[in-house]
Amino acid sequence: MTSPMSPEKPPADFIRSSINADVASGLHNTVRTRFPPEPNGNLHLGHVRAIVSNFEIAKEYGGRCNLRLDDTNPAKEELEYVHAIQDDVRWLGYDWAELRHASDYFDVLYLAAEKLIHQGDAYVDDLSPAQIREYRGSLTEPGRPSPYRDRSVEENLDLFRRMRAGEFPDGARTLRAKIDMGSGNINLRDPALYRIKHVEHQNTGNDWPIYPMYDYAHSLSDSIEGITHSLCTLEFEDHRPLYDWCVQKVDLPNHPELLAPLAAKGLPIEAAIPRQIEFSRLNINYTVMSKRKLMTLVDEGLVNGWGDPRMPTLQGIRRRGYTPEALKLFVSRLGLSKQNSLIDISVLENALREDLDARAPRRMAVLDPLKFVLTNLPDAHEETLSFSNHPKDESFGTRSVPFSRELWIEREDFAEVPPKGWKRLIPGGEVRLRGAGIVRCDEVVKNDAGEIVELRGTLDPASRPGMAGADRKIKGTIHWVSAKHAVAAEVRLYDPLFTVPDPDADAEGRTYRDYLNPESRCSLRGYVEPAAADVAPEQSLQFERTGYFVADRFDHTPETVVFNRSVSLASVRK
């Protein structure tokens, strides 16, 4: 089953082709995937492809997808991120088969490590982290074996159990896999499996003074959960041999005794030999996707938290007004590939425009107001006009829009000295007021500084809707709101957070901080028609002739009206 905005059939890609072959060969009777983020920050746009792919592929094959929190590095992980991750995945429209944590498997991972020691596939190393890096070699030079590499099984078991008992300080010893110090793949040069860290864990408290390394914990967690296809991004391609080594050496499906601790926790035992398949990362220009860099932006106060609408986090773009349907459409259009590339942000914006064009009701709003007084109407004139809520979908119904003698119009819709091709209001010129009739500007009122503060004009009564002159040809049409009935609103305009397409590029010693856009956020005080103010937070609207806006998720109330611009209209007004 595909998402509402995706093609009728899932696009053909190399991952689905591989899964099709596995299913056809009888290797797997069902397909199981997982989305395994580390709770050390908020999810961002770079995660969307992984989330959508894992959940949608599992659904397409009648399988299941787990959400697993990779909580193996407690020094950097917080419950705040655990909750935010779950909220983001649900917002995208997915529910997981099971919520798991890597920490659920700490007992199993420990027993598996002892098995590796018994087999002669792991040893306890006394080298310091700096010495381990030195011994590892480089891309052009092979590594050297640690002087502790040939310890006996008995000595390794004793030391590892003492590590587990908390006898040694942080960094004093490491459990390493015994693979190949001469391998061309540095990941196979006796990688660390466990390190000593006396840090309290959010789930296990102070039970563990040692924690498994990512490659080890991730591969075996997949195996424990019965994952058939481990879908991940290309940076893990070089790690795949280590992933396979861990899975095969431990061989959980044939060693059920290692899984015994799961029964005590009531977790099902479904061990399998998973297959890792990599796809390209989702990188978008004018932003950064590194959690470390995003964390820096937050910690240094360069943005207003993880949910700042300028941030590429799911919390941020949700507040900006992006929809789950637009993100799924975006991912569907890009497809899955093995080629990393920098995607132009316009591809994402066009997906949002297409989605909101179909779902966003229309309203009128004036962001930079200029008063326009219709002098041929009585001072107390008031009437109600009927407007369609959506010109392409009658099911949206209609709304009542108040009209009066004094209006707000956009300042940029008037030009005292018009440029060539100008079709809007000028002194002595006419335009059509959207849904109200044709008006002429008769007088321009200025203050002592020479600034325009008001326009005065007249409404042609024969051009009113339903009148004989309503169809009189006129070049320009502008929107408006009744000054007497308008609701004051804060309207926040957002532009890209960075001034260059690739802020990660290291040019002339600059960093991404040097490319921050000081004009990425602008706040205006404008006016909206009453029906625009009376919407719930997170309701998207099209402000006619301006763009798509969303009522702010946190700040918008009936008393304090706040809108964020999601994206401008596709066409630029002339």
Side-chain angles (χ1 to χ4, degrees):
M1 182 175 180
T2 57
S3 62
M5 297 297 294
S6 63
E8 291 183 5
K9 292 183 179 180
D13 56 61
F14 70 98
I15 290 181
R16 287 175 171 87
S17 296
S18 297
I19 295 175
N20 287 340
D22 290 344
V23 172
S25 69
L27 182 62
H28 298 296
N29 294 322
T30 185
V31 172
R32 293 180 178 175
T33 62
R34 81 291 168 269
F35 175 58
E38 182 180 358
N40 63 350
N42 281 39
L43 299 181
H44 53 67
L45 282 169
H47 292 105
V48 173
R49 175 179 275 165
I51 297 170
V52 172
S53 298
N54 275 287
F55 280 95
E56 291 292 344
I57 285 174
K59 187 191 305 182
E60 288 165 24
Y61 288 88
R64 52 193 292 184
C65 180
N66 287 350
L67 174 62
R68 182 172 71 238
L69 284 306
D70 175 37
D71 54 351
T72 58
N73 191 8
K76 296 184 178 180
E77 297 158 2
E78 297 180 18
L79 278 173
E80 169 194 349
Y81 302 132
V82 171
H83 299 318
I85 287 169
Q86 294 178 64
D87 183 48
D88 287 342
V89 174
R90 284 198 177 102
W91 173 69
L92 280 174
Y94 298 114
D95 197 7
W96 43 89
E98 294 183 54
L99 176 63
R100 298 288 188 94
H101 300 76
S103 56
D104 294 337
Y105 314 135
F106 279 176
D107 291 307
V108 176
L109 299 178
Y110 178 82
L111 292 176
E114 285 203 348
K115 177 178 184 291
L116 292 175
I117 294 172
H118 277 292
Q119 294 172 178
D121 290 319
Y123 64 97
V124 174
D125 196 358
D126 292 2
L127 292 179
S128 68
Q131 290 171 322
I132 289 176
R133 286 192 295 272
E134 179 188 347
Y135 273 64
R136 185 172 289 132
S138 66
L139 292 174
T140 56
E141 296 180 354
R144 292 176 290 145
S146 166
Y148 305 99
R149 195 173 194 264
D150 294 325
R151 277 175 162 154
S152 68
V153 168
E154 292 73 22
E155 184 179 5
N156 282 319
L157 278 175
D158 175 65
L159 289 172
F160 186 53
R161 287 168 179 169
R162 291 166 65 189
M163 287 170 59
R164 167 69 181 93
E167 288 189 26
F168 308 120
D170 289 4
R173 288 188 163 91
T174 308
L175 182 70
R176 297 177 66 182
K178 187 185 291 187
I179 306 180
D180 182 4
M181 290 303 294
S183 174
N185 185 336
I186 292 181
N187 293 300
L188 296 180
R189 295 181 187 176
D190 291 11
L193 303 179
Y194 270 90
R195 76 283 206 197
I196 300 172
K197 276 198 172 187
H198 294 267
V199 178
E200 185 173 359
H201 190 281
Q202 57 181 322
N203 281 346
T204 61
N206 293 304
D207 289 350
W208 292 89
I210 58 173
Y211 291 98
M213 301 299 291
Y214 174 82
D215 285 320
Y216 175 73
H218 175 68
S219 57
L220 293 188
S221 295
D222 280 350
S223 183
I224 291 168
E225 291 179 24
I227 302 305
T228 59
H229 297 86
S230 178
L231 310 181
C232 57
T233 46
L234 274 178
E235 67 264 32
F236 294 103
E237 187 171 32
D238 289 341
H239 295 248
R240 192 199 317 151
L242 177 56
Y243 179 100
D244 292 340
W245 184 93
C246 292
V247 168
Q248 292 161 8
K249 287 291 185 180
V250 174
D251 192 17
L252 285 172
N254 292 312
H255 291 275
E257 71 279 4
L258 301 178
L259 300 167
L262 297 181
K265 297 181 179 181
L267 296 175
I269 299 173
E270 307 170 297
I273 299 295
R275 176 184 178 191
Q276 178 175 302
I277 309 176
E278 307 86 14
F279 55 86
S280 60
R281 288 175 60 90
L282 188 55
N283 295 309
I284 302 174
N285 61 9
Y286 292 99
T287 191
V288 294
M289 295 292 189
S290 160
K291 273 190 184 178
R292 177 180 57 83
K293 293 175 181 177
L294 295 176
M295 178 75 77
T296 299
L297 294 176
V298 172
D299 289 346
E300 295 185 3
L302 300 172
V303 294
N304 298 320
W306 288 97
D308 189 311
R310 295 168 294 176
M311 289 279 275
T313 57
L314 296 193
Q315 296 284 316
I317 62 171
R318 175 179 178 177
R319 191 173 181 185
R320 177 82 168 260
Y322 274 79
T323 63
E325 293 78 10
L327 296 181
K328 292 174 185 178
L329 177 60
F330 173 59
V331 168
S332 174
R333 284 180 172 165
L334 293 177
L336 292 168
S337 74
K338 281 276 192 180
Q339 183 66 43
N340 278 327
S341 60
L342 192 63
I343 307 301
D344 193 275
I345 195 170
S346 65
V347 181
L348 175 63
E349 291 176 339
N350 285 336
L352 180 62
R353 288 189 185 100
E354 183 171 332
D355 182 49
L356 292 182
D357 180 58
R359 73 170 64 242
R362 275 47 170 174
R363 297 289 186 266
M364 291 194 291
V366 174
L367 308 189
D368 186 9
L370 174 63
K371 183 163 284 189
F372 188 17
V373 180
L374 301 175
T375 57
N376 63 331
L377 295 181
D379 289 349
H381 180 86
E382 286 187 40
E383 61 180 289
T384 299
L385 305 178
S386 179
F387 277 71
S388 169
N389 285 326
H390 199 298
K392 303 176 184 179
D393 191 339
E394 292 183 358
S395 69
F396 278 70
T398 61
R399 70 188 188 281
S400 297
V401 179
F403 179 75
S404 63
R405 181 176 188 265
E406 295 187 358
L407 307 173
W408 294 115
I409 67 170
E410 289 286 359
R411 187 172 295 274
E412 65 174 24
D413 280 337
F414 173 78
E416 192 171 19
V417 181
K420 184 178 180 180
W422 184 260
K423 296 180 181 179
R424 286 170 273 165
L425 199 58
I426 61 173
E430 291 183 317
V431 295
R432 185 181 301 279
L433 286 181
R434 165 94 164 87
I438 296 171
V439 296
R440 184 182 68 245
C441 176
D442 301 318
E443 182 182 357
V444 178
V445 180
K446 299 182 179 180
N447 60 19
D448 292 341
E451 300 166 331
I452 299 173
V453 294
E454 185 178 291
L455 304 178
R456 294 176 181 171
T458 52
L459 172 65
D460 177 5
S463 69
R464 303 300 307 279
M467 302 299 290
D471 294 331
R472 179 159 67 89
K473 299 299 182 184
I474 200 78
K475 288 184 177 180
T477 299
I478 65 174
H479 65 280
W480 51 272
V481 293
S482 167
K484 185 174 184 179
H485 306 89
V487 179
E490 179 186 359
V491 181
R492 299 165 180 170
L493 307 182
Y494 295 99
D495 283 314
L497 189 55
F498 296 93
T499 58
V500 296
D502 190 2
D504 276 327
D506 185 10
E508 301 176 356
R510 294 182 177 182
T511 70
Y512 66 101
R513 283 191 188 88
D514 299 310
Y515 299 114
L516 283 168
N517 180 7
E519 300 178 354
S520 58
R521 183 185 187 276
C522 173
S523 182
L524 304 177
R525 301 299 300 184
Y527 293 97
V528 299
E529 61 169 283
D534 188 25
V535 297
E538 294 196 87
Q539 170 65 57
S540 291
L541 300 172
Q542 185 197 94
F543 287 172
E544 296 190 19
R545 301 177 64 240
T546 304
Y548 295 99
F549 292 75
V550 66
D552 189 83
R553 183 182 179 190
F554 302 116
D555 297 338
H556 175 82
T557 68
E559 295 76 30
T560 305
V561 178
V562 180
F563 281 94
N564 301 323
R565 183 172 65 186
S566 305
V567 67
S568 61
L569 293 177
S571 58
V572 178
R573 281 191 282 122
K574 300 294 185 183

